[in-house]
Amino acid sequence: ITSRFQFLRLENLARTIKTIFIISWLYVSSSIKGKRNTYPNPIRLTFELAMKKLRSMIVAMKYYENPAKEEPYGFFPLQLEPEVANVVLSPYYIDQIELARHAAKSLPVGFKLYVKEHPMMRGVRKLSYYRKLKQIPNVRLIDDTIPALDLLKKSKIILNNVSTVGWEALLLRKPVITFGNIFYNSLSFVKKCSVIEDLPHLVKNLLESKQDHDKELLCFVSALFKDSTNFNFIKFLYKP
């Protein structure tokens, strides 16, 4: 069973049913006691979970593709919506469909734009969202079960808003274009696109650049470690 259908395993189905039962009990108990109900409606929750799984399977069967062999491509990872990366750090590029359209048009002849869904958005977006992406010439909508790292390793360039995928790409010494404010913009082989008409020019320059940036990247990572401190964020959030 692929990762997309892991929920069909007996242990996972049993866990889901148990969770729904517990939420149902809490919801009913809270209603009986006349308290303000902060638990989701179990019927609505079950329906929404089922619809997410159904949408995910339809998208996978109807729209997703696997990477083609020996095909040059740029990688465009979709982001969560709504999310601070879009709304605050790149407020002028919130429409990811249009951004993908501009990215696809800016690649050299013979290149494809590989677009991959964010794991947390699986089954969340409407089917029409993926249909619009597939209608963009030069775009391949890649199966979201394929690890992003595998796509990064073979990509020629990464175009992203302000995601951690861009940072991972830099550590693999890949050229990156961003569309917002992010800490790694200060590196010379990262280009921030502030004017969309400049995008083809930025792509061309990065793809043609033969400079070695290993020393610059090493200094940057060293500075990050030097100015960082150990902090258990999870323990801070969930402290008693």
Side-chain angles (χ1 to χ4, degrees):
I1 300 178
T2 64
S3 60
R4 190 183 311 286
F5 299 98
Q6 287 292 323
F7 71 96
L8 293 176
R9 291 184 180 275
L10 289 178
E11 59 268 27
N12 292 337
L13 284 173
R15 190 181 302 116
T16 301
I17 293 171
K18 181 181 178 181
T19 301
I20 292 174
F21 176 79
I22 292 173
I23 292 175
S24 300
W25 173 256
L26 293 171
Y27 182 84
V28 172
S29 299
S30 181
S31 299
I32 292 174
K33 293 177 182 178
K35 296 181 179 179
R36 181 182 178 184
N37 209 322
T38 58
Y39 301 100
N41 184 302
I43 297 176
R44 184 180 301 166
L45 175 64
T46 304
F47 175 77
E48 289 177 353
L49 288 174
M51 289 304 297
K52 282 182 66 175
K53 295 298 183 184
L54 180 60
R55 278 194 296 267
S56 178
M57 290 188 286
I58 292 175
V59 169
M61 292 185 291
K62 191 173 182 179
Y63 298 113
Y64 282 169
E65 301 180 61
N66 288 317
K69 291 184 179 180
E70 307 302 325
E71 179 178 63
Y73 63 88
F75 182 37
F76 183 89
L78 293 175
Q79 295 190 240
L80 283 167
E81 288 188 74
E83 210 242 350
V84 65
N86 295 335
V87 178
V88 178
L89 301 180
S90 55
Y92 299 106
Y93 297 102
I94 294 177
D95 190 336
Q96 295 188 82
I97 295 177
E98 282 305 306
L99 192 55
R101 193 186 311 278
H102 288 301
K105 289 192 294 185
S106 301
L107 293 175
V109 175
F111 272 62
K112 291 287 186 181
L113 183 71
Y114 282 14
V115 178
K116 180 177 178 293
E117 180 59 283
H118 192 287
M120 296 296 291
M121 293 298 290
R122 185 180 293 173
V124 176
R125 304 186 205 268
K126 294 180 179 180
L127 298 180
S128 59
Y129 191 93
Y130 302 100
R131 185 168 61 251
K132 290 177 181 178
L133 281 170
K134 285 286 288 184
Q135 290 172 348
I136 301 173
N138 217 35
V139 163
R140 289 192 191 278
L141 196 53
I142 301 300
D143 190 335
D144 63 11
T145 61
I146 296 175
L149 185 60
D150 292 349
L151 296 173
L152 284 175
K153 288 178 180 178
K154 297 181 180 180
S155 64
K156 300 297 184 183
I157 190 170
I158 288 78
L159 305 97
N160 75 132
N161 268 8
V162 284
S163 70
T164 54
V165 173
W167 175 238
E168 292 168 357
L170 290 174
L171 296 178
L172 292 172
R173 296 167 178 80
K174 299 288 184 177
V176 174
I177 291 177
T178 67
F179 298 94
N181 300 313
I182 189 70
F183 71 96
Y184 53 77
N185 274 349
S186 56
L187 287 165
S188 65
F189 53 110
V190 177
K191 300 300 179 184
K192 178 185 174 184
C193 181
S194 300
V195 180
I196 202 65
E197 287 83 357
D198 293 339
L199 187 54
H201 179 70
L202 295 175
V203 170
K204 183 177 183 293
N205 284 349
L206 283 176
L207 288 175
E208 292 179 351
S209 176
K210 304 298 181 182
Q211 295 183 26
D212 186 344
H213 300 285
D214 285 1
K215 184 176 180 181
E216 179 187 3
L217 181 60
L218 179 61
C219 290
F220 187 79
V221 173
S222 299
L224 286 179
F225 275 106
K226 183 179 179 181
D227 291 339
S228 300
T229 185
N230 291 325
F231 181 71
N232 192 327
F233 189 67
I234 301 299
K235 186 176 180 179
F236 173 78
L237 286 178
Y238 298 102
K239 64 182 179 180

